[in-house]
């Protein structure tokens, strides 16, 4: 902890002459929290010990810059600090967050948490590089470690599920998805992953596409082979061909896989970005249902 005789390197008094260097330029390296305060302000006296404590505790992960508005009216006006205390977070030269009035320590921590890179975020970034390099097993290990150390980081959870999918550990993917909070379970990227998992599992032990086509030519009513062929097409990125096979299956065998063809089409259509293409196939599907 700092003392009066040994000022903290993480806390600085700023004014118009040093604001550019101490706030704007430093914010390209770490977040800078600027506290606009005044000596006569009682809420300032409540907030200042909190932000000072956090600056020391975080040990340089952010800088606390204090602006006495009585002595720096033009600076306060420039950044629209009309009341005190006003706190603004600078990152990469710009204000990225702010709050006014005295806040409980928990609230201040939450604001800081949105802008300070955590150890779990560092592990997450490293894991992302490993995935790009094809080292999926190492990435999964790092993300599992990050998830244990920081279970409240949703980005880690999402990346772990993606890495498990890339590894082919589909059972673990399903377990991880099932354990997600409801709001994260409904995220578009999770829905898309679940839809893709449906087809990946169906294609996992299926014959090659050419073999499946041969089986279907011999027996056009071979529902299992047609569904597996559609699944292989989805995995290979042949989305519209897969939709065609599933539509054919709907017309021939609505009972297969508990209406699996219709469910499969809906799963594919959820991930199609082109509204015109999706609309065309929805109309085709509707005509079969009717």
């Amino acid at each position: 902890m700092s003392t009066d005789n040994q000022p903290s390197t993480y806390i600085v008094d700023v004014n118009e002459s040093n604001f550019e260097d101490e706030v704007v330029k430093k914010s390209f390296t770490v977040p800078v929290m600027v506290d606009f305060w005044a000596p006569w302000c009682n809420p300032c006296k409540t907030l200042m010990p909190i932000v000072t404590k956090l600056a020391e505790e975080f040990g340089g992960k952010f800088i606390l810059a204090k602006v006495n508005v009585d002595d720096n009216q033009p600076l306060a006006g420039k950044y629209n600090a009309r009341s005190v205390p006003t706190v603004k977070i600078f990152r990469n030269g710009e204000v990225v967050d702010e709050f006014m009035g005295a806040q409980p320590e928990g609230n201040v921590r939450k604001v800081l948490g949105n802008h300070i890179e955590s150890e779990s975020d560092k592990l997450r970034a490293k894991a992302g590089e490993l995935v790009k390099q094809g080292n999926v097993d190492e990435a999964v290990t790092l993300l599992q470690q990050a998830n244990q150390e920081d279970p409240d980081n949703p980005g880690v959870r999402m990346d772990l599920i993606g890495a498990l999918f890339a590894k082919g550990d589909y059972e673990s993917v399903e377990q991880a998805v099932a354990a997600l909070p409801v709001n994260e379970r409904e995220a578009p990227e999770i829905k898309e992953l679940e839809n893709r998992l449906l087809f990946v599992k169906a294609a996992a032990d299926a014959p090659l596409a050419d073999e499946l086509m041969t089986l279907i030519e011999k027996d056009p009513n071979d529902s299992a082979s047609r569904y597996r062929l559609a699944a292989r097409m989805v995995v290979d990125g042949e989305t519209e061909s897969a939709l065609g096979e599933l539509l054919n299956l709907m017309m021939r065998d609505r009972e297969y896989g508990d209406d699996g063809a219709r469910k499969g089409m809906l799963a594919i259509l959820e991930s199609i970005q082109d509204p015109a293409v999706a609309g065309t196939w929805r109309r085709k599907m509707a005509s079969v249902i009717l």
Side-chain angles (χ1 to χ4, degrees):
M1 294 294 289
S2 65
T3 66
D4 291 339
N5 296 325
Q6 186 180 3
S8 170
T9 56
Y10 317 128
I11 303 171
V12 59
D13 290 308
V14 294
N15 51 46
E16 291 183 71
S17 66
N18 66 354
F19 193 90
E20 180 70 20
D21 289 334
E22 297 293 345
V23 175
V24 177
K25 290 182 180 179
K26 281 188 178 178
S27 73
F28 284 89
T29 304
V30 294
V32 179
M33 171 184 279
V34 181
D35 182 3
F36 292 90
W37 69 286
W40 45 263
C41 166
N42 286 326
C44 297
K45 295 175 184 177
T46 300
L47 181 64
M48 188 65 77
I50 293 173
V51 294
T52 299
K53 170 191 171 186
L54 293 176
E56 294 284 8
E57 178 184 321
F58 278 75
K61 292 182 179 179
F62 80 96
I63 300 297
L64 172 61
K66 302 187 294 182
V67 179
N68 183 333
V69 297
D70 285 354
D71 298 334
N72 297 279
Q73 284 294 330
L75 198 54
K78 179 179 179 180
Y79 289 100
N80 200 29
R82 297 180 179 177
S83 64
V84 286
T86 290
V87 173
K88 296 179 183 283
I89 309 292
F90 282 71
R91 198 73 175 98
N92 297 321
E94 298 181 351
V95 176
V96 294
D97 207 343
E98 61 186 303
F99 63 84
M100 291 183 292
Q103 299 287 326
E105 182 177 322
N107 289 5
V108 181
R109 284 183 181 276
K110 185 175 181 180
V111 172
L112 284 169
N114 293 330
H115 306 288
I116 294 175
E117 185 180 42
S118 64
E119 290 303 316
S120 63
D121 285 328
K122 292 178 182 178
L123 291 174
R124 182 185 174 197
K126 186 175 181 180
E129 291 301 317
L130 288 171
V131 170
K132 291 178 184 177
Q133 296 165 12
N135 299 326
V136 179
D137 287 344
E138 291 181 49
V140 167
T141 299
L142 276 184
L143 289 166
Q144 288 173 333
Q145 176 187 338
N147 192 44
Q148 289 177 351
E149 293 176 0
D150 188 4
D152 294 325
N153 189 329
V156 170
R157 287 193 289 271
M158 293 295 188
D159 285 2
L160 176 57
I161 290 170
L164 289 168
F165 188 94
K167 183 180 177 180
D169 187 351
Y170 305 130
E171 182 178 349
S172 293
V173 169
E174 291 178 321
Q175 292 173 354
V177 169
L180 288 173
V182 174
N183 62 316
E184 292 177 28
R185 178 75 183 269
E186 298 301 318
E189 57 266 36
I190 292 297
K191 286 295 182 184
E192 185 174 347
L193 183 145
E194 285 185 301
N195 291 339
R196 186 168 177 77
L197 184 59
L198 175 72
F199 296 108
V200 168
K201 290 175 66 178
D205 59 350
L208 297 176
D210 289 345
E211 296 178 50
L212 290 166
M213 288 179 183
T214 300
L215 291 171
I216 294 169
E217 286 174 4
K218 291 179 180 178
D219 180 7
N221 292 316
D222 183 349
S223 298
S225 293
R226 193 177 294 278
Y227 186 84
R228 284 177 154 189
L229 176 60
R232 277 211 171 274
M233 288 173 168
V234 171
V235 172
D236 293 338
E238 301 171 15
T239 304
E240 291 204 60
S241 296
L243 285 167
E245 292 297 336
L246 290 171
L247 185 67
N248 196 323
L249 180 56
M250 274 187 68
M251 292 187 288
R252 292 175 179 275
D253 187 359
R254 283 294 300 277
E255 300 301 318
Y256 176 77
D258 189 22
D259 204 10
R262 183 184 66 84
K263 292 175 180 176
M265 288 191 75
L266 289 173
I268 295 172
L269 290 171
E270 279 188 1
S271 62
I272 290 181
Q273 302 297 317
D274 189 331
V277 172
T280 297
W281 283 101
R282 288 187 187 279
R283 287 190 291 275
K284 290 181 179 180
M285 185 172 65
S287 68
V288 172
I289 294 173
L290 294 174

